[in-house]
Amino acid sequence: MDDGWKLNVSFTDHSHSGCVKALALSDKNILASGSSDETIRLFNLGSKVEMGSLLQHQGSITAIAFHGGLHMFSCSEDGTICIWKASSWECIKTLRGHKGPVRSISVHPSGKLALSIGGDKTLRTWNLITGRAAFVTNLKTAADLVKWSPDGSTYAVVTDKNVSIYQVETASVSYKIQCNFRIHCIDFIQSGMLALGGEGGTVELYNLVKQEKCLEYSTNTNRIKGMSCLHCQHDTNDRHFVVTASSDGMLKVWDTNITNCGAQLVAEVDTKFRLTCLTVSPKKHVKHKEATRVSADNKEIISHTTKNKYIDVKDKDLKLKTSKRKSENSDVPNKRSKPKKTKHSQLKPQKSTCKGSTELTSVKKSKKGKRKRKNSKD
């Protein structure tokens, strides 16, 4: 292991009353976490404060995804997919169609299409321009995960120990991957290169162009629950990192050489918690700094308190950050910058049906230079 890398805790939060099952990070450094307590919590990672909670779903949150900094997608065991406007956090559309829990969702890089996997053995394609289902694909068995490639030309569907790679042009399966273990997480290192992990702590990399396995290595853990790939421009070299989170509490960062088919462990930390999911910054190219978020569930605490942790990568100094949590009753910060107005939205907003309301406080300057506080409600 490279001694030049370090992991240090910097930020921690205990807002959820249930196990955290989903994490997503927007381009504007906003972290969203979904839990079995049926709520979505929002955090501003720049100021390290909680922004509020979203109460729209009637079941456990199973997956969250951002598209840029404009929209957020969330799915739940109640069979619905909610689309949120990231500026006002208003639920502008609810997609209905699955006759069971929605297990996974992935948004096309263009933002015009989305794929969702449900327990009803269907793969649904959604037209995000109209906000309606485009078509439904029946599957032989219920799938677990779906993921678009970075260039949007292919997508992967995971079913237990198998992965099916679909080509958009032909609308058919071009490559099938069979593993000896149950797959819990997948991510594209780059277009045409897929990484997957699961039971037994093994990571496998597949070249989708040559349709062959190019690398396999063990993380020396019992089960990989979360995995994210990171492309970093370090000096003049392009480096690819694979971050893994396992059920035994180990968080590891691997420097993966896709050219020479090798992987080196550069950093690791024992969080002492059962890790459940992980996300990294969605930026395609990282120069000197990158943030990674991890969620953990501590079963020893009766209230099922969860921890959220993240990593900052700066040169060869990798730090795992956490911070003290705010008051449990505080759902929003005292100050929040006014969101920028967008010229148009792809989706027509509908009347929000959120159970809870979020109180926002804005600060304005008077003509004399004094500061006034103005309270409003979303």
Side-chain angles (χ1 to χ4, degrees), residues 328-353:
E328 295 180 355
N329 297 326
S330 175
D331 288 337
V332 294
N334 292 331
K335 296 182 180 180
R336 182 183 177 186
S337 59
K338 187 176 180 180
K340 297 180 180 179
K341 295 183 179 180
T342 55
K343 295 182 179 179
H344 60 85
S345 176
Q346 292 181 343
L347 301 172
K348 295 180 180 180
Q350 66 178 15
K351 186 176 181 181
S352 176
T353 57

Side-chain angles (χ1 to χ4, degrees), residues 354-372:
C354 297
K355 293 181 180 178
S357 61
T358 306
E359 183 178 351
L360 304 177
T361 304
S362 61
V363 179
K364 292 186 177 181
K365 286 187 177 182
S366 64
K367 295 181 179 179
K368 297 181 180 180
K370 296 181 179 180
R371 300 171 70 88
K372 293 184 178 180

Side-chain angles (χ1 to χ4, degrees), residues 23-25 31-32 228 277-282 291-295 309:
L23 287 173
L25 189 61
L31 176 70
S228 292
C277 51
L278 175 145
T279 187
V280 301
S281 171
T292 304
R293 309 286 162 179
V294 183
S295 169
K309 305 177 182 179

Side-chain angles (χ1 to χ4, degrees), residues 238-249:
D238 288 345
R239 305 176 66 178
H240 298 270
F241 296 92
V242 176
V243 186
T244 60
S246 58
S247 296
D248 57 6

